Amino acid sequence: MTMTMDFSNQTVVVIGGTSGINRGIAELFAEQGARVAVASRSQDKVDDTVAKLESLGAQAMGFSADVRQPEAIANGLASVHKAFGDFDVLVSGAAGNFPATAKGMSTNAFKTVIEIDLLGTFHVMKGAYPFLKKPGSSIINISAPQAFLAMQAQSHVCAAKAGVDMITRTLALEWGPEGIRVNSVVPGPIDGTEGMARLAPSEEMRQSAVNSVPLQRMGWPVDVANVCAFLASPLASYVNGVILPVDGGWATAGAGSMAMGMEAFARHS
Ligand code: COA
Ligand code: NAP
């Protein structure tokens, strides 16, 4: 089920928008009339996503860049601004994850996730700042339950996503006076995604994740996309600096079995 909202004549940029949850977000905004730009490292994935967004009737474009490269991100965002004008909505969702214990992880492995998730979020927000509509824009960072729940084999992601949420809250203060709202959305376990394939690779673990969600199902990308549409809409015009779980109550009540089970899937544990 999707909510119907009107984003026509609005520019929506989704960084990391070429697969999984973030692509679901890009598609929902496209269906609701927005001009949509996506970016990620793979030009093939960008091209495939742009074609899909166009098939949904949207004006769409994309660029390939790594969020670890601030100049490449800034240049890509400038090209979107040139074509599509000021940004109404920025979604920052590029991330990397793999299960690895601290003992089984190199410094470079830990650093890689910090650089993609945490520094990448900073690069995206800073690169987009000159092009954001002021007042009236909305930034949505895609966080994760690891930001506030400790999980085995996830120290790198826990540290990175906790940082993402603090960037969200801090820039909500710094940019709020200019009319830029900054919020985080925290997906729970979302079915069919790369993230779940990595964290729950067996059917047994997948079922255990389902059982640990109070609503007794995993989410779908559209569940997260609907909340992003709400946050980007005038209905949320007084919502700023929140960390909003979209997880069927998972973080509140049930994360335990997944939080303790993942060590078995770490490559070097
Ligand atoms: N366990 C332990 N260490 C691992 C690992 C694993 N499963 N996977 C990668 N690493 C280590 C590598 O060995 C390397 O460390 P080293 O130089 O000391 O050997 C370091 O992490 C970087 O790996 P590399 O493959 O060079 O990084 P990359 O920049 O090419 O790719 C990743 C980044 C590793 C995060 C990759 O998985 C990726 O691109 N992920 C994007 C998709 C994704 O994760 N989706 C889920 C989002 S929730
Ligand atoms: P995904 O399909 O792997 O999506 C990740 C996206 O980011 C892809 O478009 C990828 O494309 C891009 N990306 C990765 N590294 C990048 C980099 N260095 N620079 C630029 N782009 C990069 O993952 P997902 O499972 O849907 O997760 C999406 C988001 O939701 C992430 O922020 C994740 O932390 C969060 N989340 C997911 C779940 C879940 O259940 N899946 C739960 C909680 C939170 P390229 O490969 O082309 O770069």
Side-chain angles (χ1 to χ4, degrees), residues 16-22 40-42 45 65-68 93-95 116 142-145 161 187-190 193-196:
T18 63
S19 63
I21 296 170
N22 304 324
S40 76
R41 293 166 300 178
S42 154
K45 285 171 73 175
D66 192 315
V67 293
R68 291 169 283 192
I116 298 171
I142 306 301
S143 182
K161 292 289 193 178
I190 304 298
T193 58
E194 182 61 27
M196 282 315 289

Side-chain angles (χ1 to χ4, degrees), residues 11-30 34-40 46 49 53 61-63 67 73 77 80 87 89-94 124 140 142 228:
T11 296
V12 176
V13 181
V14 186
I15 304 299
T18 63
S19 63
I21 296 170
N22 304 324
R23 178 161 162 161
I25 295 167
E27 290 180 6
L28 186 81
F29 278 109
R35 292 180 290 267
V36 182
V38 293
S40 76
V46 169
T49 306
L53 297 173
M61 65 179 290
F63 63 92
V67 293
I73 289 294
L77 290 167
V80 174
F87 304 166
V89 182
L90 171 72
V91 179
S92 176
V124 167
I140 300 165
I142 306 301
C228 292

